[in-house]
Amino acid sequence: MVATKAPPQNTLTVTDNRTGKTISIPITHNSIPATSFKQLSLRTPYPGERDEDDHSNGIRIYDPAYLNTAAISSRITYIDGDKGFLMHRGYAIEELAEKSTYLETAYLLLYGELPGRRQLERWEWEVMHHTFLAGDLVRIIGDMRYDSHPMSVFISSFAAMGAFAPEANPALQGRNLYIDDKITMNKNIIRIIGKAATVAAASMRVRMNRPIIAPRSDMSYTENMLYMMDAMSEGEGYRPNKTLAKALDVLFILHADHEMNCSTATMTHVGSSLVDPYSAIAAAAAALYGPLHGGANEAVIRMLTRIGTISAIPQFLADVKTKKELLFGFGHRVYRNTDPRSTIIHKIAHSVFSALDQRDPLIDVAIALKDAALADPWFVERKLYPNVDYWSGLIYKAMGFPTDFFPVLFAVPRVAGWLAHWKQMVDQSGGVKIWRPRQVYVGEGRRGYVGIEERKEEGEGVDGKNEDPRKGVTEVPHYWSRRRVGAKL
């Protein structure tokens, strides 16, 4: 009798070689539930391991920086990094950038379908009539230091904004506020999107030491934002450059969402506690504030400024190869071949450069650097191509935005994506579970308390190390004058 091969099954078979136990784990959407590994438990620690390794609760999946961890099922954004493809709700980013507007794309991200004509008109009207900030909040923003980083102002403003909407706070109205009351959810989604551009413009006015200007509802979203930033004594007679407003609108589409990145994960992680969306937006913006996330296009401008001239490019690229220099704005952690947004943004860059009277010398340096890198097999083989940060930084600089304002221009459109993922999580069947990752504890085992007479003095090191990790804690506090040391108080 000939043995027949069993038909393939959409499962993963795992054998624990410590015990010989075998489990079968179902595969769904090419993923497996991490909790399945809780079945592989031990009553006592495996030889060489410790009680703190928590064997009784099964094997934990260790994944620093979430390199291969899916924390949520989503219908919003899909990225194919190998093919260089990005789509929102089934629509390719190239089509949206060419045919849509930022507010229409925001609606798509949030509600899953493109709006009809009347829906779109109503949506745009609602957003543009929820752009005003409370007078007390305007005063808070106005009291910020002129040299405050604009992202600090942006984050602080949204953190404070929740205090002006107690009816939108689950801590006051009940934990299930946004689960049960979709009218309140949608009202505050509109408020947040509308006010994001106003807060951004206000943070720009603060740094210029100019009075904060009230928004206009008779302009497009990006026109209104540019108006609030730049209008002077001409008041309502000022109209922003249409080409620049359109370019900014397309840039906002490109930045509206990019799947489960650092700041979006922060939005959903914080939102899983059922906190109000204003606080969650502030947390997400703080994540984007970090130089590894929202500061990438700033780094591009600093790099180009450091290069300075076209003649310095060959030496710079040679230094990149020997790791003496870092190349910013090339390659991407997700995209393996090309960033689809970079092709679109490259076209926008040329329209912006043509619309401006003066051409920034860094533009020529940037174009020459791009051409040199793409002509060099060393960079081509490593798939180092200009990404969206490379061109967006140049566009923002050409439009006259200071480099520390770049993250704000990233945060304003990303608000729509953050809210879409937050809404999806709150609306999911089965309710919201608070995100509570595990850890692998590698610290000290249980030990007895040591009396102060028996402890090591500072300067002797800790755990036999020569350098004391408490440096800065064991020294005189910065606010003490050396003259006060030893004085009688």
Side-chain angles (χ1 to χ4, degrees):
M1 182 176 180
V2 179
T4 57
K5 187 177 180 180
Q9 295 180 328
N10 200 26
T11 61
L12 179 70
T13 300
V14 178
T15 298
D16 187 343
N17 292 324
R18 302 170 302 175
T19 63
K21 182 177 181 178
T22 297
I23 61 173
S24 180
I25 306 174
I27 300 173
T28 306
H29 298 299
N30 197 35
S31 65
I32 59 173
T35 51
S36 295
F37 288 90
K38 292 174 73 70
Q39 301 174 62
L40 301 177
S41 59
L42 296 176
R43 292 185 177 181
T44 58
Y46 191 73
E49 297 189 339
R50 315 183 308 163
D51 289 335
E52 290 81 11
D53 291 329
D54 198 18
H55 295 82
S56 62
N57 287 310
I59 290 179
R60 289 159 292 180
I61 309 300
Y62 181 61
D63 186 14
Y66 303 121
L67 296 178
N68 193 35
T69 294
I72 197 169
S73 296
S74 179
R75 295 177 176 271
I76 300 171
T77 296
Y78 172 74
I79 298 171
D80 188 327
D82 293 329
K83 296 178 181 178
F85 179 70
L86 167 66
M87 68 180 182
H88 298 319
R89 302 285 191 176
Y91 295 94
I93 190 64
E94 293 87 349
E95 276 198 284
L96 293 174
E98 179 185 356
K99 302 174 182 178
S100 187
T101 63
Y102 169 66
L103 285 184
E104 183 182 66
T105 299
Y107 185 99
L108 172 68
L109 290 170
L110 284 155
Y111 301 108
E113 298 292 343
L114 290 170
R117 183 181 301 277
R118 283 184 296 177
Q119 285 175 314
L120 180 59
E121 290 174 354
R122 178 68 178 180
W123 169 251
E124 291 175 338
W125 191 94
E126 288 286 356
V127 171
M128 296 309 299
H129 283 80
H130 284 84
T131 51
F132 277 82
L133 302 179
D136 287 345
L137 182 58
V138 171
R139 284 188 285 275
I140 290 173
I141 297 173
D143 285 340
M144 298 278 188
R145 285 177 56 94
Y146 73 92
D147 56 355
S148 300
H149 194 292
M151 276 301 285
S152 295
V153 178
F154 189 88
I155 295 164
S156 302
S157 299
F158 269 101
M161 204 178 292
F164 293 88
E167 75 284 358
N169 190 343
L172 297 173
Q173 305 300 328
R175 57 181 288 179
N176 290 336
L177 175 62
Y178 291 103
I179 296 173
D180 298 335
D181 188 348
K182 299 311 175 186
I183 293 177
T184 296
M185 171 185 276
N186 290 323
K187 181 187 295 185
N188 285 282
I189 285 173
I190 288 169
R191 284 176 176 173
I192 290 171
I193 293 175
K195 296 178 193 308
T198 310
V199 169
S203 70
M204 174 68 86
R205 303 288 292 197
V206 166
R207 73 167 301 138
M208 295 188 293
N209 201 23
R210 294 176 182 171
I212 295 172
I213 293 179
R216 297 270 296 273
S217 60
D218 59 339
M219 294 181 175
S220 73
Y221 190 81
T222 50
E223 276 185 303
N224 174 55
M225 183 171 161
L226 290 173
Y227 165 81
M228 290 186 290
M229 288 179 184
D230 299 331
M232 297 289 285
S233 57
E234 63 272 74
E236 294 189 359
Y238 176 75
R239 303 291 300 193
N241 183 302
K242 290 283 187 181
T243 300
L244 300 187
K246 174 59 178 175
L248 194 59
D249 191 76
V250 176
L251 283 168
F252 278 16
I253 293 173
L254 299 181
H255 282 126
D257 189 55
H258 205 235
E259 206 223 53
M260 193 54 60
N261 49 70
C262 176
S263 56
T264 305
T266 301
M267 180 76 184
T268 46
H269 196 145
V270 174
S272 74
S273 73
L274 298 182
V275 72
D276 68 273
Y278 298 94
S279 298
I281 287 286
L288 187 139
Y289 188 9
L292 291 182
H293 190 6
N297 45 21
E298 286 185 76
V300 169
I301 297 302
R302 294 193 181 98
M303 174 190 71
L304 293 172
T305 303
R306 194 167 63 254
I307 294 172
T309 62
I310 294 175
S311 61
I313 290 175
Q315 184 58 53
F316 174 79
L317 292 179
D319 290 341
V320 170
K321 296 176 184 178
T322 58
K323 299 184 178 180
K324 294 179 182 177
E325 287 282 1
L326 294 176
L327 183 64
F328 293 99
F330 283 73
H332 197 279
R333 175 166 160 176
V334 174
Y335 299 110
R336 300 290 180 264
N337 290 303
T338 184
D339 183 339
R341 300 168 299 171
S342 65
T343 305
I344 304 164
I345 208 170
H346 188 190
K347 297 177 183 177
I348 301 170
H350 286 289
S351 70
V352 169
F353 301 158
S354 300
L356 298 171
D357 294 333
Q358 296 182 339
R359 184 180 177 94
D360 193 302
L362 282 189
I363 294 172
D364 296 321
V365 176
I367 293 172
L369 177 62
K370 179 262 299 183
D371 292 340
L374 294 182
D376 189 324
W378 192 92
F379 294 96
V380 174
E381 290 168 5
R382 288 162 175 77
K383 304 185 186 301
L384 295 174
Y385 48 82
N387 59 32
V388 69
D389 296 312
Y390 191 75
W391 294 112
S392 63
L394 282 169
I395 294 171
Y396 293 150
K397 188 174 192 308
M399 292 176 69
F401 292 112
T403 53
D404 61 1
F405 196 74
F406 291 1
V408 175
L409 295 168
F410 192 165
V412 171
R414 186 56 60 88
V415 161
W418 290 337
L419 287 169
H421 287 272
W422 169 78
K423 179 180 182 297
Q424 176 181 250
M425 179 187 65
V426 173
D427 287 346
Q428 68 187 344
S429 60
V432 180
K433 292 183 179 179
I434 190 168
W435 289 24
R436 208 295 190 184
R438 299 293 305 277
Q439 68 166 12
V440 176
Y441 178 71
V442 295
E444 298 289 345
R446 182 170 178 172
R447 52 182 173 173
Y449 181 82
V450 179
I452 194 163
E453 299 83 3
E454 303 171 34
R455 300 176 201 166
K456 292 179 181 179
E457 291 292 336
E458 60 183 83
E460 295 180 15
V462 176
D463 296 336
K465 299 176 183 177
N466 293 326
E467 185 175 351
D468 191 338
R470 299 167 298 182
K471 186 176 181 180
V473 177
T474 57
E475 297 169 354
V476 176
H478 66 86
Y479 50 83
W480 278 22
S481 164
R482 290 185 180 277
R483 295 185 300 276
R484 288 174 59 89
V485 177
K488 294 181 179 180
L489 302 179

